[in-house]
């Protein structure tokens, strides 16, 4: 159970940071925060493997959302003479 709790905490931290940056991911018809709730429910139901799997997906999405937020800071149109 401690590993499940740690996975959920890591996912929450990453997702909260992505959400704060405006880049919370959305998949399967719901935002990452709702998937995190599913992980917590799975853990409470004793489905630890499922809880860890969901939490890992949320953590990955949160980390990638933070990376997107950083890249967005320097995003802009391509130079007029740029080849694509």
């Amino acid at each position: 159970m401690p590993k499940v709790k740690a996975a959920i905490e890591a996912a929450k931290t990453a997702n909260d940071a992505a959400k704060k940056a405006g880049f919370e991911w959305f998949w399967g018809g719901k935002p990452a925060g709702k998937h995190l709730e599913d992980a917590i429910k799975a853990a409470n139901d004793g489905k630890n493997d499922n809880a860890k799997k969901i939490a890992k997906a949320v953590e990955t999405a949160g980390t990638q959302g933070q990376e997107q937020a950083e890249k967005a800071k320097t995003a802009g149109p391509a130079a007029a003479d740029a080849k694509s």
Side-chain angles (χ1 to χ4, degrees), residues 78-84:
D81 60 350
K83 304 282 187 235
S84 57

Side-chain angles (χ1 to χ4, degrees), residues 5 25 37 39 44 52 82:
K5 184 174 169 108
W25 276 22
E37 290 175 12
N44 288 337
K52 285 191 283 188

Side-chain angles (χ1 to χ4, degrees), residues 2 14 22 38 71:
D38 291 345
K71 289 177 183 175

Side-chain angles (χ1 to χ4, degrees), residues 5-71:
K5 184 174 169 108
I8 289 171
E9 287 298 320
K12 181 176 181 349
T13 298
N15 190 60
D16 285 351
K19 189 188 291 189
K20 184 177 179 183
F23 282 83
E24 179 180 25
W25 276 22
F26 187 94
W27 74 93
K30 55 190 169 184
K34 292 293 183 186
H35 288 284
L36 185 57
E37 290 175 12
D38 291 345
I40 293 167
K41 183 179 183 324
N44 288 337
D45 290 345
K47 299 175 183 173
N48 293 339
D49 288 342
N50 196 33
K52 285 191 283 188
K53 181 180 172 186
I54 296 167
K56 185 62 179 170
V58 173
E59 181 183 9
T60 299
T63 300
Q64 291 177 349
Q66 292 172 65
E67 290 170 5
Q68 282 182 304
E70 283 302 309
K71 289 177 183 175

